[in-house]
Amino acid sequence: MFLHSNVKQPSFGKLNIPKPQSVNSERRTSFFGARTSGASMPRNSTMSGFGGTEKIKDTRPLHDKSYVQQCIRQLHEFLTEQGYPGTLSAKTLQSPSTKEFVKVFEFVYRQLDPNFEMPNLKVEEEVPAMLKALRYPFVLSKSSMYSVGAPHTWPQALGALIFRINKCNFCQELLFSDFCEDTDIEEGAEYNKLVLDYTAETYSKFMQGEDTFDDMDELFFNKLKKLYNVDEALLASTEEKYRILNDEVEQLEKESRTDRLMTKRKERITLQADLKNLQSYRSSMETFKAKLENRDSELSDELETTGSQLETLKHQQNELQNLLQNQKFTPADVERINREKRELQQTISSLSKSLEDAQQHKWNEEIVLAKAELKVAEYHKLARKLKLIPLSAENAGGHDFEIRPCEYGPGSMVQHKTQRQMVLRKLLSDVEEENSRLANMKLSLEESCEQVNSNILDKSNDLKQMREQIRKLDERLDSNMQVLAQEEQEWLAEKESMENHCKLLEKKVNFGYDESVQQLKAAQQQYHLVLQETNEERRTVANNLASVFTTATNHLSITEKCLEDLHGRVKRVCSKAVEDDEAAIQKLRETLKNFKSKANSL
């Protein structure tokens, strides 16, 4: 039957009936062989393509890591459920050796054929041959069997094992499938009838050139749901639970792949670096705080001095006020006092304004100083990253790049800044030169790497060709050795038969020689007798010949005479006939002459 290996007996869960995979119509060949009657079909079916020379493209994502991990889990679960005798772990199945692969292949093969025994010799050739005999639609090369666990060969070998596992599961489901609790034998037969009808109809449409069967799939699903009374709500909730569980499994797999200890160690290193940065920032802030406290104490002293001066002026004002109240003043004194009062008020307002300006200036200086400290901290952080500080750093070169604002005055600060800028410009030019040199070196190394890669690729291609030639030569050598062995056996058999024939001939020759000697003696005796008889007969014949010759001579002489007489008579007759002919010709000439004369006269 033309059935997919993934079709399973349905139950009250997710129906797992995949769509028939579409392949190129040019690569399809006949399922039952070539059709010899009727009209030509638009395409052939796919069965004999497994044994043909045309390769079918494997559409499975065997190079996807998640798909490979899913196949490994499926293989591990199958081996565990079937009771694999050897030691087994998921880590082993990540990159197994050829020996382990052969054991697993033999165990899977025995699930369908319990009497199967794996051959001990040339396993690398036997496994692809057995897969081809089992109609595995894809090619597993012999060279891949020498290194099954390699990253580029293990997915193909794993795909072959999954193919065998699916086949085993399908056969077991056909033989031992358990239907639902309220499903009896008649429903199982009904399901098989539905599957066979679905397969026949889809195959008929496939042979007519169609590649998709969505309508047939939908009709088949509806019939199955009706047959097994599938609850859509329960099915949807089950699918949602399945999706959630799959997401949780993937999340757990991702977490299991990451090394938590390494993550915690990295976090610890990061936190330690942050702690050092915070400690350095704290020390710089403490220094900045001490500077601000010094500045605050200076401004507080100035403020106290100004306050004492203000108190003195207020005291003088009170004394003058008392004096003004206790004394009698003339208008000139009042005017003078008022003028002094106004002057004092102006002095007080100017001093208050200067105090406010001093406080504002103090606040602005504190802001500027805070910004400068932040810039200095950023500068120190960048300098530490670039290994410029402290004085013994790798890139310092004996220069002190650390900025200490409390140690320098305004002039020395500018001088140190100029010196640092000159040294940093020099370092920057050196770094740029080194960077350009390293970039050129990187380009040259990349070019050499590309050349080496191309050489490696060429050599690998040459190596593949040499291996293929060696394989062909080995096959030719094996065939020649087999032919030579067969010819040697034939030669030995022929030699033995020739020796037997030679012995038989010697025996026959010896026996024939004795007979020939006896026959020779008898022939010699008979020869003498025949010789005597021949001599007598010769004499008799000679006498007879002499008499015959004499008779013939006489007859010849008589015949010559008769011929001479006959010749004379014929000669006479001929001469007479010639004379008669000449006379007749003469008469004809005369007659012609007369005729001409008569004709002329007329």
Side-chain angles (χ1 to χ4, degrees):
M1 293 189 301
F2 182 75
L3 292 175
H4 291 286
S5 61
N6 292 333
V7 178
K8 298 182 179 180
Q9 294 289 351
S11 61
F12 289 114
K14 186 176 180 180
L15 296 174
N16 187 15
I17 308 295
K19 296 180 181 178
Q21 294 181 354
S22 111
V23 295
N24 293 334
S25 59
E26 293 82 9
R27 296 190 179 184
R28 292 174 180 160
T29 53
S30 177
F31 179 80
F32 296 104
R35 300 175 68 91
T36 57
S37 64
S40 62
M41 299 296 290
R43 72 172 85 197
N44 296 328
S45 66
T46 59
M47 193 61 178
S48 64
F50 293 155
T53 58
E54 211 168 327
K55 293 183 180 180
I56 300 176
K57 185 178 179 181
D58 194 350
T59 57
R60 296 175 296 179
L62 294 176
H63 295 288
D64 187 1
K65 292 183 179 179
S66 60
Y67 181 77
V68 172
Q69 294 299 323
Q70 181 181 353
C71 293
I72 289 174
R73 285 196 301 274
Q74 183 180 353
L75 176 61
H76 186 268
E77 291 174 0
F78 177 82
L79 295 176
T80 306
E81 290 174 358
Q82 300 299 327
Y84 181 69
T87 57
L88 185 66
S89 65
K91 186 176 181 181
T92 306
L93 294 177
Q94 296 292 333
S95 178
S97 62
T98 304
K99 186 176 180 181
E100 292 171 346
F101 172 77
V102 171
K103 287 182 180 179
V104 173
F105 182 82
E106 182 179 4
F107 178 77
V108 174
Y109 200 103
R110 283 185 179 177
Q111 302 305 311
L112 292 179
D113 185 7
N115 298 324
F116 172 72
E117 292 292 338
M118 195 72 185
N120 295 326
L121 299 176
K122 295 184 179 179
V123 177
E124 294 79 6
E125 298 179 1
E126 291 294 333
V127 172
M130 283 189 284
L131 288 173
K132 187 176 181 181
L134 291 170
R135 294 187 176 181
Y136 181 59
F138 312 112
V139 178
L140 188 65
S141 61
K142 297 178 183 178
S143 59
S144 63
M145 297 303 299
Y146 291 98
S147 57
V148 175
H152 62 282
T153 56
W154 171 232
Q156 282 76 16
L158 181 62
L161 289 176
I162 296 299
F163 171 79
R164 293 292 301 144
I165 288 173
N166 291 335
K167 200 166 185 179
C168 292
N169 291 333
F170 179 67
C171 293
Q172 290 175 0
E173 287 165 2
L174 288 178
L175 294 174
F176 309 108
S177 60
D178 295 329
F179 300 102
C180 300
E181 294 180 358
D182 54 351
T183 305
D184 54 9
I185 296 175
E186 293 181 358
E187 289 179 348
E190 213 170 307
Y191 167 75
N192 290 334
K193 183 177 181 301
L194 283 177
V195 171
L196 290 175
D197 292 341
Y198 166 76
T199 305
E201 292 176 0
T202 52
Y203 182 72
S204 175
K205 289 190 176 182
F206 173 78
M207 292 297 291
Q208 292 175 3
E210 294 186 12
D211 286 331
T212 57
F213 314 99
D214 296 335
D215 298 337
M216 299 298 301
D217 292 342
E218 186 175 357
L219 182 61
F220 182 60
F221 283 136
N222 292 331
K223 288 181 180 179
L224 286 178
K225 291 176 182 178
K226 185 177 179 181
L227 177 62
Y228 292 101
N229 298 323
V230 176
D231 189 359
E232 293 289 342
L234 179 61
L235 184 61
S237 63
T238 306
E239 288 180 353
E240 183 66 22
K241 290 179 182 178
Y242 177 74
R243 185 183 62 79
I244 293 171
L245 290 174
N246 271 342
D247 294 338
E248 291 179 357
V249 169
E250 290 178 358
Q251 185 66 27
L252 291 173
E253 285 179 355
K254 290 179 180 179
E255 290 179 357
S256 63
R257 288 175 191 164
T258 58
D259 192 351
R260 295 182 179 178
L261 182 60
M262 291 299 295
T263 305
K264 295 299 180 182
R265 286 177 179 172
K266 290 180 180 178
E267 290 179 357
R268 179 187 172 187
I269 293 171
T270 305
L271 291 173
Q272 287 178 353
D274 292 340
L275 180 61
K276 289 181 180 178
N277 293 331
L278 288 173
Q279 289 176 353
S280 61
Y281 181 72
R282 179 185 174 185
S283 61
S284 62
M285 287 296 104
E286 288 178 353
T287 306
F288 179 66
K289 180 181 177 182
K291 293 177 183 178
L292 290 178
E293 288 177 352
N294 294 329
R295 181 68 175 169
D296 184 56
S297 62
E298 291 177 359
L299 292 174
S300 298
D301 294 338
E302 291 179 359
L303 186 60
E304 288 177 359
T305 305
T306 308
S308 63
Q309 291 177 359
L310 182 60
E311 290 294 333
T312 304
L313 292 174
K314 286 181 179 180
H315 184 65
Q316 291 177 1
Q317 183 183 4
N318 292 329
E319 289 180 354
L320 291 174
Q321 191 71 27
N322 291 329
L323 183 61
L324 179 61
Q325 291 175 359
N326 296 326
Q327 289 181 357
K328 292 179 180 180
F329 298 101
T330 61
D333 293 333
V334 172
E335 176 119 16
R336 181 177 56 77
I337 290 169
N338 288 330
R339 187 174 58 253
E340 289 179 356
K341 180 181 178 181
R342 285 194 298 273
E343 289 177 358
L344 288 173
Q345 286 178 352
Q346 289 177 0
T347 304
I348 291 169
S349 62
S350 64
L351 289 175
S352 299
K353 187 177 180 180
S354 63
L355 179 61
E356 290 176 359
D357 293 338
Q359 289 177 350
Q360 184 65 32
H361 181 67
K362 173 188 175 183
W363 177 250
N364 293 332
E365 288 294 333
E366 288 176 354
I367 292 172
V368 171
L369 187 58
K371 292 181 179 179
E373 290 294 335
L374 289 175
K375 290 183 180 179
V376 169
E378 291 177 358
Y379 168 77
H380 287 168
K381 185 177 179 181
L382 181 61
R384 287 191 182 90
K385 286 183 180 179
L386 298 175
K387 298 180 181 179
L388 295 175
I389 58 175
L391 188 61
S392 58
E394 181 180 351
N395 298 327
H399 299 283
D400 187 9
F401 290 97
E402 188 173 0
I403 298 175
R404 302 180 184 86
C406 59
E407 296 181 2
Y408 306 131
S412 60
M413 187 72 179
V414 175
Q415 184 179 0
H416 282 85
K417 180 179 178 182
T418 306
Q419 292 177 357
R420 289 192 188 92
Q421 286 179 351
M422 292 174 62
V423 176
L424 287 174
R425 287 194 187 96
K426 184 178 179 182
L427 284 175
L428 185 60
S429 63
D430 295 339
V431 169
E432 288 178 351
E433 291 177 359
E434 184 68 18
N435 191 15
S436 62
R437 186 180 66 80
L438 291 175
N440 295 328
M441 187 182 296
K442 180 183 176 183
L443 291 175
S444 62
L445 289 174
E446 287 178 353
E447 292 176 357
S448 61
C449 184
E450 290 178 357
Q451 186 176 1
V452 169
N453 289 331
S454 62
N455 292 332
I456 290 172
L457 183 60
D458 296 337
K459 294 298 181 182
S460 62
N461 294 330
D462 295 339
L463 183 60
K464 289 180 181 177
Q465 293 178 359
M466 293 298 292
R467 285 179 177 172
E468 185 66 21
Q469 292 178 0
I470 290 170
R471 184 184 63 77
K472 291 180 180 179
L473 290 175
D474 290 338
E475 292 178 356
R476 190 183 299 173
L477 179 61
D478 293 337
S479 62
N480 291 335
M481 291 297 290
Q482 292 176 0
V483 171
L484 288 175
Q486 187 176 359
E487 290 180 355
E488 187 176 359
Q489 291 178 358
E490 291 177 357
W491 290 342
L492 290 173
E494 187 177 357
K495 179 182 177 184
E496 186 176 358
S497 64
M498 291 297 291
E499 288 179 352
N500 295 329
H501 185 64
C502 183
K503 291 179 181 178
L504 183 60
L505 286 176
E506 287 180 356
K507 185 177 180 181
K508 289 182 178 180
V509 165
N510 292 330
F511 179 74
Y513 177 73
D514 295 337
E515 289 183 354
S516 298
V517 170
Q518 292 178 1
Q519 290 177 2
L520 179 61
K521 290 180 180 179
Q524 286 178 353
Q525 293 176 358
Q526 189 175 2
Y527 173 73
H528 291 300
L529 293 175
V530 172
L531 185 61
Q532 290 177 0
E533 292 176 357
T534 304
N535 291 330
E536 291 178 359
E537 289 178 356
R538 186 181 295 172
R539 284 194 296 272
T540 304
V541 168
N543 295 327
N544 292 332
L545 286 174
S547 61
V548 168
F549 286 155
T550 302
T551 305
T553 303
N554 295 329
H555 178 72
L556 286 173
S557 61
I558 294 168
T559 303
E560 284 179 354
K561 289 179 180 180
C562 290
L563 289 173
E564 286 177 355
D565 294 337
L566 181 62
H567 183 267
R569 283 183 289 180
V570 169
K571 190 174 182 180
R572 285 194 297 274
V573 171
C574 288
S575 61
K576 186 176 179 180
V578 169
E579 290 176 355
D580 293 338
D581 291 335
E582 288 179 353
I585 292 168
Q586 188 66 31
K587 286 180 180 181
L588 288 173
R589 287 176 179 174
E590 290 176 356
T591 303
L592 180 63
K593 189 174 179 182
N594 293 327
F595 181 76
K596 286 181 177 181
S597 62
K598 288 179 180 181
N600 292 326
S601 64
L602 292 175

